[in-house]
Amino acid sequence: MPILLLKSLHLVSVIIWAAALIVLPRVFAQHAGVTDAGARAALVRLERQLHLLMNIGAVLAIAFGVAQIGATGWSQYEHQGWMHAKLTLVVLVIAYHGWCSLTVRAFRLDRNSRSVRSFAILREVPLALLAAIILLVIVKPF
């Protein structure tokens, strides 16, 4: 597969993944403050749909990213610090993804213990990580 096609598919997948990672914690914040059973059920459905989208985006982004590295060869990146930093941040994004998955399950089982305020703080994490990754990829500072 041509490298430009891999890059394009990787970018589209990252956008899908990032969108879900950004929106889902905002839904968590709403859900944490809702007491109406009907509204809670609707939010559980929305969380499940966003979780599916997040998983699809993540799998595709990682697959196309690995395919890009495979197509160009790791030797091209092994001495580029920006790539090591990017991959470290990607591991943190994956960890955040895991936290979102656990939170979707907690809400589905009606076992959430976090407050609206804690979600307001945690929902900014993916924005910071994604902004740092984009800067590293575009600027390649080291």
Side-chain angles (χ1 to χ4, degrees):
M1 188 175 295
I3 192 68
L4 289 180
L5 180 58
L6 284 174
K7 285 182 180 185
S8 298
L9 293 171
H10 176 67
L11 185 56
V12 169
S13 302
V14 167
I15 290 168
I16 292 167
W17 187 17
L21 284 171
I22 290 166
V23 173
L24 189 55
R26 283 156 173 71
V27 175
F28 293 157
Q30 288 181 325
H31 195 160
V34 169
T35 56
D36 176 69
R40 291 170 69 117
L43 288 169
V44 165
R45 283 191 303 275
L46 178 58
E47 289 161 356
R48 187 176 52 228
Q49 292 166 348
L50 286 168
H51 186 244
L52 177 62
L53 186 65
M54 181 178 74
N55 287 337
I56 291 168
V59 167
L60 292 175
I62 292 166
F64 290 128
V66 168
Q68 273 186 86
I69 291 171
T72 57
W74 175 248
S75 60
Q76 181 177 339
Y77 301 108
E78 69 182 320
H79 299 296
Q80 296 186 20
W82 69 269
M83 179 58 94
H84 293 273
K86 174 198 172 185
L87 294 175
T88 300
L89 293 175
V90 168
V91 168
L92 293 176
V93 171
I94 292 168
Y96 188 84
H97 179 121
W99 172 81
C100 285
S101 296
L102 292 173
T103 305
V104 166
R105 185 172 190 268
F107 274 119
R108 187 184 42 151
L109 298 174
D110 201 25
R111 294 186 180 155
N112 173 56
S113 60
R114 294 194 182 275
S115 67
V116 173
R117 182 176 166 89
S118 68
F119 285 116
I121 294 166
L122 290 169
R123 71 182 182 199
E124 304 309 327
V125 170
L127 289 171
L129 290 171
L130 295 165
I133 290 169
I134 290 167
L135 287 171
L136 283 168
V137 171
I138 302 294
V139 177
K140 297 178 175 79
F142 45 92

